[in-house]
Amino acid sequence: MKKRAIKYISIVFVVLVLIVVANICIRNQKIKSVRYTMHYPTEDHILNQAVVSDSLKAHFGSFLSQSRKDIELDSIRHYLETIPYVSRADLAISMRGVLSMHIYETLPIVHVFSANSTYYLDSLASPLPAINSLPSHTLIATGDLPSLSKISSSKSQKLIKSLVTLSSLILNDSILKYQISQIHYSNKKFVLIPQIGDYTILIGPSSQWAEQLNRLHHLYTSAFFRDGWNNYSQISLLYSNQAVCTRKTNQ
């Protein structure tokens, strides 16, 4: 009985030693390769692998010269998520020493022009730095909007979130994202300006936006499809279950 117990203890000891040795070997394993996978929300994209890899190399040095134990995944992840237009990063190191990075891009949905500054907002209402070229279907916002230095205030945040909500509703609609190009805010009201046509679109409070934009969608696919939109100076969605179209005075 005592011999059997000693045998079991010896086996357990050997296993534990092997685990410790294996862990030491794994921790000292050199990174053999770095694999980037870029995830884009649309066909348009701003980031590319070269920009990300160059930024990482400048900050952390070459990962290929480092051991697994020297790679701090949380630090790399945090740094990646500070790069403009990176929304999320997932990292892992395989048993073969491959450092894999899945990098998710966020895109601006609205370009804000305030009295004192211009900036972009993503779908989470986070500000983004200016870039030379924008993806398609990025809306323009004008009017009494807060400057970049003031958007963090509680009063401005409410307005900014409303602007982002309205922009998202428009861009998620298969028709409106091509028809609406601009959102104007004044006198505490939002007005939509179309891509083509000399008219404005009045909308009501945010609690009614989904229903109002649905009416506008059907207006573009039915009445405007038959009659066109050049005959009108204003479209009002302020009344329940209606779209009131005001004809131009010379029509």
Side-chain angles (χ1 to χ4, degrees):
M1 190 71 178
K2 187 179 292 186
K3 290 182 178 180
R4 184 178 295 178
I6 293 173
K7 181 180 179 181
Y8 285 145
I9 292 171
S10 299
I11 292 172
V12 170
F13 178 77
V14 170
V15 170
L16 290 174
V17 169
L18 290 174
I19 291 173
V20 170
V21 171
N23 283 334
I24 292 173
C25 291
I26 290 173
R27 283 173 53 79
N28 290 322
Q29 181 186 41
K30 296 291 186 181
I31 298 299
K32 294 181 179 179
S33 64
V34 181
R35 183 178 300 160
Y36 296 90
T37 304
M38 308 297 294
H39 298 269
Y40 302 114
T42 67
E43 292 182 359
D44 295 321
H45 62 269
I46 298 166
L47 289 172
N48 59 60
Q49 179 180 318
V51 170
V52 173
S53 61
D54 289 348
S55 181
L56 285 171
K57 189 173 183 178
H59 192 79
F60 294 98
S62 174
F63 294 120
L64 298 180
S65 65
Q66 301 182 45
S67 300
R68 178 192 288 263
K69 69 177 186 298
D70 299 320
I71 301 295
E72 297 181 3
L73 295 182
D74 286 341
S75 295
I76 300 170
R77 181 183 301 108
H78 176 74
Y79 177 77
L80 281 169
E81 292 176 355
T82 64
I83 296 176
Y85 298 98
V86 172
S87 63
R88 193 179 99 225
D90 296 330
L91 287 77
I93 303 176
S94 73
M95 294 298 293
R96 295 184 177 182
V98 178
L99 173 57
S100 297
M101 301 188 192
H102 288 263
I103 299 165
Y104 297 80
E105 182 185 63
T106 186
L107 289 179
I109 63 171
V110 59
H111 186 181
V112 179
F113 291 87
S114 70
N116 300 314
S117 63
T118 177
Y119 53 93
Y120 304 99
L121 296 169
D122 66 11
S123 59
L124 298 177
S126 300
L128 297 168
I131 52 178
N132 292 329
S133 60
L134 279 174
S136 59
H137 311 319
T138 301
L139 293 166
I140 291 173
T142 57
D144 302 327
L145 297 168
S147 63
L148 182 59
S149 62
K150 295 181 179 180
I151 63 171
S152 59
S153 70
S154 57
K155 181 179 179 181
S156 295
Q157 275 293 296
K158 184 177 180 180
L159 173 57
I160 288 298
K161 289 179 179 178
S162 294
L163 173 62
V164 167
T165 297
L166 180 56
S167 300
S168 297
L169 287 170
I170 292 170
L171 294 176
N172 287 331
D173 187 282
S174 60
I175 297 296
L176 300 184
K177 69 179 181 179
Y178 297 107
Q179 297 294 340
I180 306 301
S181 64
Q182 183 177 340
I183 300 171
H184 186 75
Y185 180 77
S186 63
N187 298 319
K188 298 183 178 181
K189 294 179 181 179
F190 287 101
V191 175
L192 307 183
I193 299 173
Q195 183 82 26
I196 301 174
D198 184 22
Y199 61 96
T200 55
I201 303 165
L202 308 182
I203 59 172
S206 58
S207 60
Q208 301 172 17
W209 282 347
E211 189 274 331
Q212 290 176 338
L213 293 176
N214 185 54
R215 270 187 276 149
L216 184 61
H217 174 106
H218 289 292
L219 187 66
Y220 276 113
T221 56
S222 56
F224 278 179
F225 184 77
R226 295 191 308 268
D227 305 330
W229 47 72
N230 290 325
N231 297 325
Y232 304 100
S233 61
Q234 187 180 85
I235 309 299
S236 175
L237 303 171
L238 299 176
Y239 305 100
S240 179
N241 299 318
Q242 297 181 61
V244 179
C245 302
T246 303
R247 283 188 172 273
K248 293 178 179 177
T249 55
N250 59 348
Q251 298 296 319

